[in-house]
Amino acid sequence: MQADGEKGQTVGWASWALAFGLVGALGWVAPAHSQQAQAADTPSGQATVIELTQVGCQFLGSENGTDHGIHPQSKADCEAFNDDTGEARLAEARVLRVPAGDYVFRVKNEGVPYDLGFWLRGDGLLNRARLPSVSGGGLGTGQTGDFAVSLEPGEYVYSCPLNPTLDYKLVVEGQG
């Protein structure tokens, strides 16, 4: 499942069909402007959609809705910002916790003047090798892309390597 302008590909143990959600079932309520869960039709039925909004050098909801007001013109601008502030921001960042299952990460480029992407993968070398992953790019300013994956229990991180963000944490628990 891909939106206009998105050149995503799915990577993992097999062809993973769906992506990230059931967040509402866990009692997590996202700010309306950044991340929210909703049902989406997928080839194998319903998946939960997590909406992620990227602004300069960050995902809004992952940083509790705080927009740091960075207006990068290049990847280097974000790298410098993250070097200066990343450790403190990550300490305050929201850890997403969801049950295993089918998810769609709907990622929006809100005002970043160059193409963005999305990369979800296992946290650490062992988890990166054994857990499903999804990635893609080509999201121009104002564009939204869908990244579908079926998540197994474990610890993950997600980020945008093109608009360098922090590696935000995602914990997938038990069976959905």
Side-chain angles (χ1 to χ4, degrees):
M1 174 184 271
Q2 295 181 355
D4 294 338
E6 188 232 320
K7 301 171 191 139
Q9 66 179 6
T10 303
V11 181
W13 290 97
S15 294
W16 298 102
L18 306 171
F20 184 91
L22 300 179
V23 174
L26 295 175
W28 177 71
V29 179
H33 68 281
S34 59
Q35 298 175 343
Q36 55 184 244
Q38 63 189 32
D41 289 324
T42 61
S44 65
Q46 290 271 326
T48 300
V49 175
I50 300 291
E51 294 188 18
L52 300 170
T53 299
Q54 282 193 64
V55 295
C57 313
Q58 69 175 109
F59 284 93
L60 278 177
S62 305
E63 296 196 35
N64 302 300
T66 300
D67 184 343
H68 295 286
I70 304 304
H71 301 287
Q73 298 304 306
S74 69
K75 182 177 179 176
D77 293 342
C78 288
E79 290 167 343
F81 175 65
N82 290 335
D83 285 346
D84 291 342
T85 65
E87 188 174 330
R89 289 171 38 228
L90 205 50
E92 297 294 321
R94 180 184 315 255
V95 176
L96 297 178
R97 294 182 183 279
V98 299
D102 297 331
Y103 295 90
V104 172
F105 289 86
R106 183 161 291 150
V107 180
K108 179 179 182 186
N109 177 342
E110 189 171 290
V112 179
Y114 48 83
D115 284 357
L116 305 180
F118 180 71
W119 184 25
L120 172 78
R121 69 256 183 222
D123 187 11
L125 200 51
L126 179 61
N127 283 335
R128 191 170 301 167
R130 70 175 191 83
L131 293 173
S133 172
V134 65
S135 64
L139 301 176
T141 304
Q143 291 184 319
T144 300
D146 285 351
F147 301 87
V149 65
S150 205
L151 294 175
E152 300 173 8
E155 294 185 9
Y156 297 77
V157 292
Y158 61 96
S159 64
C160 176
L162 304 173
N163 172 40
T165 66
L166 303 174
D167 286 341
Y168 301 103
K169 295 265 187 197
L170 164 67
V171 177
V172 178
E173 301 167 333
Q175 292 299 332

